[in-house]
Amino acid sequence: MSRYLKNLPPLESLIHFEAVLRNGSFTKAATELCVTQSAVSKQIRALEDWLKLPLFERLVRGIRPTPAGLALQREVGPMLQSLLRSVVRLQAEHNRHTLTVNCTHAVAQFWLFPRLVAFSQQHPDITVNIHASNSMDEASVAEYDFAIFYGDGQWSSLCAEPLFPEVVYPVYSAQLDYPAITQVEQLAALPLIQLDSSAWNCINWHDWFGHFGLTYTAPERVPMFNQVTLAFNAVLQRMGIGLGWEFMAHDLLQQGVLKRLGPFAFVSGKVDYLVHPRHASLSDNALLFKRWLLDSVSQPATVAPVLPPPAGY
């Protein structure tokens, strides 16, 4: 018998264990893995039986990892990440006609997707897959051919090419009518769509007003959205005035779907960059895609228009 089969627990049980610890819940892990909660519990029990160690304390409300569980997590998490990167890299090396790009949901929907439509029309033999996630870090880029990162462009392991700067201004549906404003403080009295960005690095109304030297506190009992795309769709559904990022709002302003309120804009100095591992060699198709995407930044007319979601979206 192989020494791995003899001395290592089943890989499936380790995958379930890592998901439970990362999510802090059997139920959330089951949702992520697309299995039942009982299936997750069965895998954890099998792993504990194999190790002859308890990995979790079952509490009245939830679970808590034991010292053995925490020790195993320190080994299993990096091991699975390394295995995943190796598999993805191997697949990419042997399938040069498929590329993957990791970016946020907002960038995927409002900036990258319209460009991929145009790219696919010009290069139908190259498939570009989008992996949308708001949880990205420098180490995870190795799992993809490219990523679109927001920041200052200074990442030690990444090659970064600027795509578009961060510019944020108030926008609203062209079907609504608001009075013109000449001072930023006038905006605070109007119905503003609230964005809760406490869990991630993103500008909200407090930050936006702060840029102009003003203090702003959101009113009580107003709807709050925790994603840029949700807040932006609320603008399109005529719920009020929202923060409009230039990369999301530009085409819809040109089409007359949205309007800007006032001349004020927050230019943060941050930029979205196309990045890839600095020491990784790019395939010919990856180089072609990179050049095409960078060229598209200066040629917006070549990309497909951004369409607003249908009514009731």
Side-chain angles (χ1 to χ4, degrees):
M1 178 184 292
S2 165
R3 62 190 176 115
Y4 298 117
L5 290 175
K6 181 180 179 180
N7 297 302
L8 290 177
L11 178 61
E12 187 175 6
S13 68
L14 294 175
I15 291 172
H16 282 71
F17 166 76
E18 187 276 338
V20 170
L21 255 179
R22 181 164 38 79
N23 287 283
S25 161
F26 281 29
T27 301
K28 291 180 180 178
T31 300
E32 177 184 300
L33 296 168
C34 299
V35 298
T36 64
Q37 183 179 346
S38 61
V40 173
S41 298
K42 183 178 179 180
Q43 288 290 339
I44 298 302
R45 282 197 303 271
L47 181 58
E48 290 177 321
D49 291 343
W50 196 97
L51 293 169
K52 296 181 174 57
L53 288 170
L55 298 174
F56 295 97
E57 294 179 40
R58 276 69 170 180
L59 307 175
V60 176
R61 294 185 178 180
I63 55 172
R64 181 170 58 201
T66 64
L70 291 173
L72 184 61
Q73 181 193 32
R74 288 194 291 270
E75 300 296 331
V76 169
M79 178 198 74
L80 291 177
Q81 283 289 340
S82 177
L83 180 60
L84 176 61
R85 285 194 292 268
S86 296
V87 170
V88 170
R89 190 180 304 113
L90 184 64
Q91 289 175 323
E93 289 174 355
H94 291 273
N95 187 2
R96 297 293 187 171
H97 294 285
T98 299
L99 305 175
T100 55
V101 183
N102 185 213
C103 59
T104 66
H105 291 273
V107 170
Q109 179 178 346
F110 291 97
W111 192 86
L112 182 58
F113 181 77
R115 284 167 171 77
L116 290 191
V117 172
F119 180 80
S120 296
Q121 291 171 348
Q122 296 179 33
H123 304 280
D125 55 328
I126 303 175
T127 301
V128 182
N129 297 325
I130 300 177
H131 181 89
S133 171
N134 289 338
S135 300
M136 299 187 293
D137 56 40
E138 187 172 342
S140 68
V141 177
E143 300 170 20
Y144 309 93
D145 293 288
F146 298 101
I148 297 178
F149 262 25
Y150 162 83
D152 57 11
Q154 302 301 311
W155 298 287
S156 60
S157 68
L158 303 178
C159 177
E161 298 279 358
L163 293 174
F164 52 87
E166 182 177 44
V167 182
V168 189
Y169 40 71
V171 294
Y172 64 98
S173 169
Q175 298 181 38
L176 299 177
D177 187 23
Y178 290 106
I181 63 172
T182 56
Q183 296 179 332
V184 174
E185 50 265 35
Q186 294 175 291
L187 188 62
L190 298 175
L192 303 183
I193 295 171
Q194 301 298 325
L195 174 64
D196 176 12
S197 61
S198 58
W200 40 292
N201 182 22
C202 180
I203 293 171
N204 57 23
W205 279 116
H206 178 270
D207 303 320
W208 195 88
F209 279 103
H211 175 71
F212 296 95
L214 301 173
T215 300
Y216 174 80
T217 302
E220 296 182 0
R221 296 184 295 278
V222 295
M224 187 76 68
F225 300 92
N226 74 334
Q227 299 290 338
V228 169
T229 49
L230 293 175
F232 196 70
N233 282 327
V235 173
L236 295 170
Q237 295 303 317
R238 305 181 296 281
M239 292 181 65
I241 301 160
L243 291 169
W245 274 257
E246 171 75 6
F247 78 88
M248 300 170 67
H250 178 271
D251 288 352
L252 296 174
L253 289 167
Q254 296 294 314
Q255 296 164 26
V257 175
L258 294 179
K259 290 183 178 180
R260 283 184 63 170
L261 187 60
F264 312 103
F266 180 0
V267 182
S268 71
K270 299 292 183 65
V271 173
D272 276 72
Y273 293 84
L274 181 69
V275 301
H276 60 82
R278 187 180 300 278
H279 301 296
S281 59
L282 297 179
S283 67
D284 290 344
N285 284 336
L287 285 170
L288 186 154
F289 172 75
K290 177 181 178 178
R291 286 194 295 267
W292 187 95
L293 193 62
L294 293 175
D295 286 345
S296 77
V297 174
S298 58
Q299 301 173 23
T302 65
V303 305
V306 174
L307 300 177
Y313 177 80

